[in-house]
Amino acid sequence: MNDDTPDSMQELADVLQDVRRHLLWQEETAGRSLLVDAKVAAELQQQRAAASSVRTMIARTKAPEPAAAPTPPRPPAESPSRDTLHAAMKQPLGAARPLAAARPLAPEAPAMLLDVPQSTPRYNGALPGVVEGERPTLDQIRRELGDCRRCKLCTGRKNIVFGSGNPRADLVFVGEGPGENEDLQGVPFVGAAGDLLTKMIGAMGFTRNDVYIANVVKCRPPGNRNPEPDEIAACEPFLRSQLLAIQPKVIVALGKFAAQTLLRDTTPITRMRGQWREYEGIQLMPTFHPAYLLRNSAEKRKAWEDLQQVMKLFGKHPGSSA
Ligand code: URA
């Protein structure tokens, strides 16, 4: 076969692009410069400038939109006990305040959580729906997304699951991607994992209408498989735009895909969870994904500890009644 066919050239270009992304990632995360040629170094410089301009944009747009309705004051939350989340799992959806006996901490996390995927490609272009110097609205971003055909997930989806909740939420939850129920309804977290997430939100003293819920990918991966790097790369800019539009105080990253994508960090979720991080100036708490908690109920205790840290940040003092 002729190596100079357009396909092989394209493959070569893709490989070079992957290598460049990998070098950039290593350079940023490990603090080591692995750059070997001046051209790549110049590109890195440009990309840093682009990232800094996004940060400037976030800083400039921090003030609320005049037309936006203020977030309604939330009723003071009861202080749930340390075992609230665990108890919440046992309650029917809608029964917000749990009560249960303590469980011992879970043993070591299973191996599936420790396998680290390839680093997610960086996104350095203009954010979709974002006009430089202006805070975007979720409607603008949704319009920009349109009837998206940017990745192969579009072929199997029934509905795009854009996100739901308060567009001015102080607290945003980011999941992985829609499952079957979400795909059918076009709403995130409405299946079994969604029921658990709703209980977790309730146990924290919020409702789903107080917070905003989004996913790393907006179309269902076939058979609920993990989203692939190209799919994440295609969809991630929309998530970043959504976060720029909402400007929450806190993001809870549910599971490794949310945490690793937003933080550009391939550390396993078992090690990242429970440690405050920062995403574009916003506090981010990585924790376990509700679907994982459904399969590993002994880990719910740790997830609840993570969520309690978030509650503290909102002045909810969860530990006081423990
Ligand atoms: N799991 C996710 O990560 N997101 C959903 O919307 C539903 C299940």
Side-chain angles (χ1 to χ4, degrees):
M1 209 205 281
N2 180 356
D3 274 342
D4 290 325
T5 58
D7 276 350
S8 65
M9 295 297 285
Q10 184 55 49
E11 267 173 37
L12 182 60
D14 289 345
V15 168
L16 285 173
Q17 184 65 10
D18 280 350
V19 168
R20 185 173 297 126
R21 284 183 183 128
H22 186 70
L23 289 172
L24 289 169
W25 171 80
Q26 279 192 307
E27 204 269 346
E28 286 204 350
T29 56
R32 287 176 280 130
S33 179
L34 299 179
L35 299 174
V36 288
D37 80 27
K39 192 161 167 254
V40 177
E43 258 189 64
L44 176 62
Q45 196 53 42
Q46 272 182 356
Q47 288 170 350
R48 280 197 179 124
S52 137
S53 102
V54 170
R55 275 193 290 276
T56 311
M57 206 186 306
I58 292 171
R60 265 209 305 268
T61 55
K62 260 304 184 191
E65 283 178 7
T71 306
R74 301 181 183 110
E78 273 172 43
S79 292
S81 76
R82 296 179 70 223
D83 304 298
T84 303
L85 179 60
H86 173 69
M89 321 309 172
K90 295 183 171 169
Q91 294 202 351
L93 184 57
R97 296 288 180 268
L99 18 109
R103 280 217 164 171
L105 281 184
E108 243 332 284
M112 53 85 52
L113 275 177
L114 301 173
D115 74 294
V116 181
Q118 293 296 304
S119 64
T120 303
R122 289 186 61 86
Y123 180 78
N124 291 298
L127 290 174
V130 176
V131 177
E132 175 133 21
E134 286 176 23
R135 180 179 180 177
T137 66
L138 290 174
D139 283 348
Q140 281 168 334
I141 300 161
R142 182 63 191 87
R143 271 197 299 278
E144 184 83 16
L145 183 64
D147 182 31
C148 185
R149 306 269 147 203
R150 292 169 182 83
C151 86
K152 57 189 179 299
L153 292 182
C154 69
T155 58
R157 71 155 184 251
K158 295 203 167 46
N159 285 294
I160 292 177
V161 180
F162 182 69
S164 73
N166 180 354
R168 288 289 177 271
D170 286 336
L171 178 57
V172 170
F173 291 82
V174 178
E176 177 183 318
E180 186 180 13
N181 292 292
E182 291 78 16
D183 180 48
L184 288 171
Q185 296 182 42
V187 180
F189 282 99
V190 288
D195 287 352
L196 177 54
L197 178 62
T198 304
K199 288 169 188 166
M200 289 157 74
I201 292 168
M204 294 173 75
F206 295 98
T207 69
R208 279 180 69 120
N209 290 332
D210 293 326
V211 305
Y212 193 86
I213 305 174
N215 279 308
V216 171
V217 295
K218 303 200 181 321
C219 297
R220 182 191 181 199
N224 296 345
R225 66 157 168 75
N226 289 339
E228 293 174 356
D230 60 313
E231 297 156 359
I232 293 173
C235 219
E236 176 193 348
F238 290 91
L239 174 61
R240 291 179 180 272
S241 289
Q242 285 173 294
L243 294 170
L244 186 56
I246 300 167
Q247 295 179 21
K249 289 190 172 66
V250 177
I251 297 167
V252 174
L254 299 166
K256 68 176 180 181
F257 286 96
Q260 293 181 348
T261 300
L262 289 174
L263 297 171
R264 304 202 186 290
D265 183 339
T266 56
T267 303
I269 188 69
T270 44
R271 280 207 271 126
M272 266 199 278
R273 63 146 282 274
Q275 310 289 324
W276 281 111
R277 302 288 297 267
E278 201 181 300
Y279 166 83
E280 300 287 354
I282 300 166
Q283 297 274 73
L284 185 148
M285 174 57 70
T287 193
F288 290 129
H289 190 286
Y292 170 76
L293 295 175
L294 287 175
R295 296 189 303 270
N296 300 275
S297 63
E299 300 284 54
K300 287 172 184 169
R301 176 76 176 247
K302 289 182 190 165
W304 179 230
E305 285 169 8
D306 304 342
L307 298 181
Q308 283 180 311
Q309 293 199 59
V310 174
M311 292 170 67
K312 270 187 198 149
L313 208 120
F314 284 97
K316 291 181 184 285
H317 305 297
S320 58
S321 67

